[in-house]
Amino acid sequence: MEEPCVHVSDLRKSYGSVQAVDGVSFDIEYGRVFGFLGPNGAGKTTTIKVLTTLVHPTSGTVKIFGKDIVKHQKEIKKKIGVVLQEPSFEANLTVERALELYGLMWGVPSEKRRDRARELLDKFDLASFKGMKNDELSIGQRRRVQVAREFMHDMDLLFLDEPTVGLDPAARRILLDYVKKHVKGGLTVFFTTHIMEEAEYLCDEIAIINRGKIIATDTPAGLKQKYGGVKAVEIKLRDSSAQSVMHIIRPIAGSSSIIETPAESMIRISSADAQEMLMKIIESLSKDAVQIESVSVNPPTLEEVFLAVIDKEEKEA
Ligand SMILES: Nc1ncnc2c1ncn2[C@@H]1O[C@H](COP(=O)(O)OP(=O)(O)O)[C@@H](O)[C@H]1O
Ligand SMILES: [Mg+2]
């Protein structure tokens, strides 16, 4: 069998007494998009930093392109790209110049550099501010430049750490589609996000990470199926606002996720025991003479699945 593009086995990284990554294992096949999902502090960035040789693992094995990252650091670095969360380039360079310089840094020949910069300015919708300096840009614009410039050089594996933070929906779509196009051309991608729809749109496989541990790995469809017990209950009230009944709902729903939808008489709650919870809620609302217009039980979004997995993990811990 062919070696995977990325092989991670029992990876650990601690900072003093903090176990940032606590025994993580996974493989990524060539040409696939692997998504890492988890709340703040879960260990996503630390994993990326270890995999891109920016920090040393405390223990465990990481092989990229079949080679150990500690022993073959230089060789591996040549063929990977990484976009970290923290912006990292000169404040007074123009967008166009920043792309050019990045290409130069990677040893891209000058003609190719110019062509690429032109293509990226166009594809990432950056052309209209190519003459602006980095610190004159909005956060979203900077992020787009940061991702675009990574495509200045050829790479076999790309790490993207929450690349869409600060982007509007259109810019998000442009970025994800651009990445998708390169995946079709053979690029392998490691991607972190906390937005489920994005993971679903881009990833072939998703690992959910919480407190340094992977708590679920599957395809987006598989995750939905596995946590299919999770249902979203929607309750529409007749004459009361959702706000006015929260004191009744909250004690029953517990730590389940409650979404007070903009339609203010609507409450949406996701739970693994939706039926039972619903019965209790109906009973309590009737007792308080709150009138219910309608009730429906719906499939959860991936976001709700994610919350349920973490909720379950926390209860069992
Ligand atoms: N350089 C560091 N020194 C000490 N603790 C760190 C450092 N970097 C990250 N951590 C801690 O490690 C944990 C995981 O952080 P991180 O990998 O950044 O999570 P995520 O990217 O999922 O938000 C957090 O508790 C964080 O505070
Ligand atoms: Mg992070």
Side-chain angles (χ1 to χ4, degrees):
M1 223 182 77
E2 202 198 349
E3 290 234 42
C5 178
V6 177
H7 169 74
V8 176
S9 174
D10 203 22
L11 176 67
R12 285 164 210 274
K13 172 68 191 176
S14 50
Y15 296 104
S17 61
V18 179
Q19 278 283 344
V21 176
D22 192 9
V24 154
S25 303
F26 60 89
D27 284 350
I28 310 175
E29 302 300 325
Y30 283 96
R32 312 270 286 177
V33 183
F34 188 83
F36 233 27
L37 292 174
N40 273 334
K44 304 182 295 295
T45 297
T46 303
T47 303
I48 285 196
K49 285 187 173 168
V50 171
L51 266 52
T52 54
T53 77
L54 295 169
V55 303
H56 272 293
T58 304
S59 67
T61 311
V62 180
K63 284 185 178 179
I64 290 184
F65 312 127
K67 298 196 168 84
D68 189 281
I69 50 155
V70 180
K71 290 182 205 140
H72 300 270
Q73 197 176 29
K74 267 200 181 148
E75 203 181 327
I76 290 166
K77 270 196 131 157
K78 276 185 204 150
K79 296 198 289 177
I80 64 176
V82 56
V83 178
L84 290 170
Q85 278 173 297
E86 58 261 34
S88 54
F89 59 92
E90 269 60 54
N92 54 5
L93 282 183
T94 65
V95 171
E96 193 171 31
R97 193 82 189 104
L99 290 182
E100 277 264 348
L101 217 65
Y102 202 69
L104 183 69
M105 220 177 79
W106 277 95
V108 180
S110 70
E111 201 169 313
K112 206 169 171 186
R113 221 159 56 218
R114 230 169 301 129
D115 289 348
R116 282 228 176 131
R118 204 173 304 130
E119 187 208 323
L120 289 166
L121 288 171
D122 172 47
K123 287 276 155 49
F124 279 82
D125 219 4
L126 301 169
S128 59
F129 49 90
K130 65 178 182 183
M132 275 163 75
K133 287 178 179 163
N134 190 53
D135 63 359
E136 296 165 348
L137 305 178
S138 73
I139 289 169
Q141 289 168 334
R142 270 183 229 180
R143 199 74 184 134
R144 272 151 64 194
V145 175
Q146 209 185 345
V147 175
R149 70 166 193 173
E150 207 52 48
F151 285 95
M152 283 298 293
H153 68 101
D154 292 318
M155 58 200 155
D156 295 333
L157 171 62
L158 174 62
F159 294 88
L160 295 168
D161 199 1
E162 305 205 26
T164 59
V165 170
L167 301 195
D168 62 47
R172 247 170 221 214
R173 191 57 180 247
I174 288 173
L175 190 153
L176 295 179
D177 284 341
Y178 195 76
V179 173
K180 247 189 179 178
K181 195 187 100 186
H182 280 261
V183 171
K184 281 209 186 94
L187 182 69
T188 307
V189 177
F190 184 103
F191 173 78
T192 74
T193 178
H194 55 262
I195 301 163
M196 290 294 156
E197 288 73 28
E198 268 179 32
E200 203 174 11
Y201 186 68
L202 192 65
C203 300
D204 300 300
E205 199 164 12
I206 295 172
I208 296 180
I209 181 167
N210 188 40
R211 295 183 181 170
K213 288 190 165 77
I214 291 179
I215 56 177
T217 314
D218 214 323
T219 58
L223 267 185
K224 270 191 171 168
Q225 203 173 35
K226 206 181 275 171
Y227 294 92
V230 179
K231 293 277 190 304
V233 173
E234 283 185 356
I235 303 164
K236 194 166 174 7
L237 305 170
R238 185 160 293 157
D239 293 314
S240 321
S241 70
Q243 205 50 52
S244 70
V245 299
M246 274 305 146
H247 66 286
I248 302 171
I249 306 274
R250 246 189 215 111
I252 300 169
S255 50
S256 309
S257 80
I258 302 175
I259 299 167
E260 294 161 51
T261 56
E264 55 178 31
S265 59
M266 179 83 96
I267 304 157
R268 185 176 163 108
I269 310 159
S270 61
S271 167
D273 323 295
Q275 304 290 348
E276 199 188 329
M277 192 188 65
L278 184 57
M279 288 307 141
K280 283 189 195 154
I281 290 175
I282 292 173
E283 203 185 325
S284 299
L285 289 178
S286 327
K287 245 187 230 160
D288 266 44
V290 177
Q291 298 221 36
I292 298 171
E293 173 86 36
S294 65
V295 161
S296 62
V297 179
N298 303 304
T301 63
L302 263 173
E303 182 107 41
E304 287 164 332
V305 170
F306 174 53
L307 290 170
V309 173
I310 288 180
D311 189 40
K312 190 164 159 247
E313 168 84 357
E314 240 135 52
K315 277 187 188 134
E316 283 164 7

